[in-house]
Amino acid sequence: MFTELNVFKLANAMATHAGTRQALVSQNIANADTPGYHARDIKPFSEVFAEDSQPGDMRASRRDHLNGASGQGMDWAVSESDVGTDPNNNSVSIEHEIMKGVEVKRQHDKALAIYKSSMNVLRTSLGRG
Amino acid sequence: MSDFSNALSVSASALKAQATRLRHVSENISNADTPGYRRKTVSFQSVRDMDTNVENVDVGRVHLDRSDLDKVYDPSHPLADTSGHYEGSNVDLMIEIADAREAQRSYEANLKMFDQTRQMSASLMELLRR
């Protein structure tokens, strides 16, 4: 357990994923009235994580290889959706984005809680609990 | 962490854009009875920040609505022509109020996202305490 602290790595990836997605949700809501803007999103963490654990999938050779993603070899490609476009060719639905925002906030809180709890376990085992 | 600052900056740019739009709407409404006034319209555009790859919102140039001015019949008005009409403004209050309401809703949504990003950043910093 102590040579490779996977739980910290996972919590870190989850929090970073939430941060990246939050930036995209903010960008979508900011551009909700911009003509010609299409909503952007990355895959939910569960899908990204499930794909990452499969053997033989595409790996990034460099950190910024796959669309500037900073995940550890995970596919954080930004996709554009154009469903439900408005007359001004804008596909942002504010309700949908707010829902995603709540989801992201909960995911981030969860990741930080996991990190904190693991840190407490580690601290207790060191005898300074 | 830079994701958070990107999110904050894009939300801030949108708040500024919506406030500018609301300012022009109130300008239109306050000049609704000014003779010869043409309503002003703003359009939004996204500007990509080359360093962070974020699409900030910016208001483009202000355009004047070129549609015909309203003809008001009032023979006693100083600006009235021989037929007793003068040119009013082409502001439609219904459109302006609807636009103002939409701007307000978008402003609120952006403010909410700004606050949420700030909270997430604060709880991340909270990890360092103790």
Side-chain angles (χ1 to χ4, degrees):
Chain A
M1 180 194 170
F2 292 111
T3 49
E4 193 155 312
L5 294 165
N6 266 325
V7 71
F8 286 111
K9 269 191 193 167
L10 199 59
N12 178 27
M14 198 167 166
T16 315
H17 180 273
T20 309
R21 210 165 178 212
Q22 170 74 9
L24 285 175
V25 169
S26 291
Q27 184 177 316
N28 287 345
I29 290 185
N31 284 289
D33 295 330
T34 309
Y37 181 86
H38 289 208
R40 290 171 200 178
D41 198 9
I42 50 177
K43 286 181 189 168
F45 185 69
S46 53
E47 284 179 33
V48 173
F49 183 66
E51 278 177 16
D52 184 56
S53 55
Q54 283 167 5
D57 58 353
M58 202 161 64
R59 286 267 171 178
S61 56
R62 280 180 290 116
R63 202 176 70 88
D64 289 346
H65 187 152
L66 292 173
N67 290 298
S70 58
Q72 297 121 340
M74 294 182 180
D75 175 23
W76 288 11
V78 177
S79 60
E80 282 194 12
S81 85
D82 51 358
V83 284
T85 45
D86 286 349
N88 63 357
N89 199 17
N90 181 306
S91 69
V92 179
S93 146
I94 290 202
E95 295 86 353
H96 189 211
E97 297 300 326
I98 294 275
M99 288 289 289
K100 260 188 346 202
V102 173
E103 203 178 293
V104 162
K105 173 92 171 82
R106 293 190 60 212
Q107 183 188 323
H108 191 253
D109 286 353
K110 194 195 276 180
L112 293 191
I114 291 170
Y115 195 94
K116 211 169 196 168
S117 158
S118 314
M119 195 66 109
N120 277 339
V121 170
L122 208 60
R123 214 176 251 132
T124 312
S125 66
L126 286 172
R128 290 183 214 153
Chain B
M1 195 57 217
S2 74
D3 279 331
F4 286 150
S5 53
N6 288 349
L8 290 175
S9 80
V10 75
S11 289
S13 76
L15 288 175
K16 191 160 168 270
Q18 298 290 352
T20 311
R21 174 188 182 186
L22 205 53
R23 187 170 65 78
H24 283 291
V25 168
S26 46
E27 203 175 312
N28 289 342
I29 291 178
S30 55
N31 280 297
D33 290 330
T34 308
Y37 180 82
R38 290 182 188 275
R39 64 186 283 263
K40 290 174 181 167
T41 55
V42 286
S43 60
F44 289 168
Q45 58 198 25
S46 53
V47 180
R48 184 181 286 272
D49 186 336
M50 284 305 169
D51 295 332
T52 56
N53 225 9
V54 173
E55 298 212 355
N56 287 321
V57 191
D58 193 20
V59 282
R61 289 188 51 194
V62 178
H63 293 284
L64 288 181
D65 189 342
R66 293 282 170 201
S67 62
D68 290 336
L69 295 170
D70 210 13
K71 291 265 186 207
V72 184
Y73 181 70
D74 184 3
S76 65
H77 197 275
L79 292 174
D81 56 10
T82 48
S83 66
H85 289 83
Y86 72 95
E87 289 190 327
S89 71
N90 60 357
V91 176
D92 185 347
L93 281 179
M94 191 69 89
I95 294 176
E96 301 301 330
I97 297 280
D99 205 26
R101 189 58 64 89
E102 196 191 14
Q104 186 192 354
R105 291 280 175 265
S106 301
Y107 193 92
E108 279 172 9
N110 279 298
L111 199 59
K112 191 171 159 46
M113 288 326 285
F114 190 92
D115 195 43
Q116 183 174 311
T117 312
R118 203 182 50 75
Q119 277 178 20
M120 284 166 75
S121 169
S123 55
L124 188 67
M125 290 303 168
E126 194 75 7
L127 282 182
L128 291 174
R129 285 181 52 169
R130 196 204 147 120

